[in-house]
Amino acid sequence: MGQGRWLVAAAIGLALLAGCGGSNGSGPQRATLLLDFTPNAVHAGIFTAVARGYDRDAGVRLRVREPSSSADATKLLVAGRTDFAVLDIHDLGLAREKGADLVGVFALVQRPLASVIAQPGVPTPRALEGRRVGVTGVPSDDAVLRSIVRGAGGDPGRVRTTTIGFNAVQALLAGRVDGATAFWNAEGVALRRRRPGFRVFRVDDYGAPAYPELVVTVTGKTLRERRDLVDRTTRALRRGYEETKAEPAASVDDLVKASPGLDRSLTAAELRAVRPAFGDPPGRLYPARLRAWAAWDVRFGILRRPPDLARAFLTDA
């Protein structure tokens, strides 16, 4: 859905720069992974990989950092100030379209997280015609909304949109909008816990393909010159997500310990929702799914043309 959902107050600071690249003699290679937004259940496997030492077992000392704003991940990756970054797949496509040499190497999830969440009185996306729907202002939000309404047999042109930023939960609870674009694994879970009855319309239930919403990304230079680091890191992440799938409660403990501000009960509920999307094996990028994603992005105006998928993603053919 594009560029993250929350803004985080703390700046990354010099610690990020110190953690990027480098090595420690004959010890593990140091590397920094920048998240797309504040830690939540979709990142559980990353934190479990670090907490259990899977990164060090693979010869990497991975430092996980939060962005200070929703656009930081792409900017800092392009600037060479982080080795890895979690990007929304649409942002990866848009960055490449602008000339950035970025490559997706590991899928956090195997299906879209994008959705439209509607008030209990909205039975189907088609019923949003003539009603007010909140969007963040990110281009992919408009595409998601149009795809869902059209997929339900409605006319997207009849939906009244209003920009609400990243405040879907507050706007829906206050009744300011009849629906809003949001992530079903985060805002959807939070809303249903606060007030049961909200309707969640997932974009891939209404015509969108099963594409990997969030992708760990590196620069082309990193992939060419430090392929061993990329392979070691993705190996550690795969172990982390395999452990998260096998022992979700323990993985929630790892995540909450690393990010004490998280609500453990809510995080556990989010992980129950998103865990089936992690895939088997975790991390794999499938060419057929990427082709379908690229075609959908072009069809709904996110991208002007499909990217060169062989250059944009490290896949298992």
Side-chain angles (χ1 to χ4, degrees):
M1 178 161 301
Q3 295 191 346
R5 286 284 155 200
W6 299 276
L7 298 182
V8 188
I12 295 171
L14 293 177
L16 173 62
L17 301 180
C20 179
S23 61
N24 185 19
S26 60
Q29 300 179 67
R30 296 179 183 176
T32 298
L33 187 155
L34 186 64
L35 302 180
D36 52 323
F37 46 90
T38 194
N40 67 87
V42 78
H43 305 124
I46 297 172
F47 285 91
T48 287
V50 174
R52 308 293 171 85
Y54 298 156
D55 58 334
R56 294 183 291 280
D57 290 346
V60 180
R61 190 164 188 85
L62 192 64
R63 304 185 69 179
V64 181
R65 291 288 179 264
E66 302 175 26
S68 61
S69 81
S70 60
D72 268 354
T74 302
K75 291 180 180 178
L76 291 175
L77 185 61
V78 170
R81 295 188 176 184
T82 184
D83 301 293
F84 300 86
V86 178
L87 299 185
D88 184 285
I89 192 170
H90 309 300
D91 295 337
L92 171 55
L94 287 167
R96 285 195 60 89
E97 198 163 72
K98 295 175 183 177
D101 183 16
L102 300 182
V103 184
V105 297
F106 186 94
L108 294 195
V109 289
Q110 295 293 343
R111 67 176 297 181
L113 304 178
S115 69
V116 170
I117 303 176
Q119 299 287 354
V122 179
T124 72
R126 184 173 182 174
L128 291 169
E129 291 180 349
R131 304 194 191 213
R132 187 176 298 278
V133 175
V135 294
T136 64
V138 173
S140 56
D141 273 14
D142 295 324
V144 166
L145 176 59
R146 284 186 281 114
S147 180
I148 290 174
V149 173
R150 187 177 298 171
D155 179 1
R158 296 184 61 190
V159 178
R160 298 159 56 205
T161 60
T162 182
T163 301
I164 60 173
F166 301 100
N167 297 304
V169 172
Q170 298 92 322
L172 285 164
L173 287 173
R176 294 196 300 271
V177 293
D178 297 296
T181 52
F183 282 167
W184 55 259
N185 63 300
E187 289 99 331
V189 173
L191 279 163
R192 283 177 162 174
R193 283 170 63 86
R194 293 277 296 274
R195 189 182 299 165
F198 279 100
R199 309 276 186 161
V200 178
F201 307 124
R202 302 185 185 188
V203 69
D204 52 335
D205 287 336
Y206 292 91
Y211 58 78
E213 181 86 44
L214 298 174
V215 182
V216 177
T217 305
V218 299
T219 63
K221 180 179 179 181
T222 295
L223 186 61
R224 291 188 298 272
E225 299 180 359
R226 306 180 69 196
R227 176 63 183 266
D228 182 60
L229 172 66
V230 174
D231 290 344
R232 289 171 182 269
T233 301
T234 55
R235 189 184 316 145
L237 294 177
R238 184 167 291 109
R239 283 188 69 188
Y241 277 91
E242 287 171 346
E243 185 69 15
T244 295
K245 291 176 61 180
E247 299 289 344
S251 190
V252 169
D253 290 339
D254 296 334
L255 179 55
V256 172
K257 184 176 181 180
S259 305
L262 293 181
D263 179 313
R264 192 191 189 286
S265 176
L266 176 59
T267 302
E270 291 177 351
L271 184 56
R272 282 194 297 273
V274 79
R275 186 167 56 130
F278 289 153
D280 185 21
R284 187 173 179 181
L285 288 157
Y286 295 89
R289 295 183 185 182
L290 294 171
R291 286 193 295 271
W293 156 75
W296 185 85
D297 267 30
V298 172
R299 178 186 175 194
F300 284 93
I302 299 174
L303 299 176
R304 293 192 300 271
R305 62 185 64 85
D308 183 339
L309 296 177
R311 293 177 179 270
F313 298 95
L314 186 62
T315 64
D316 295 315

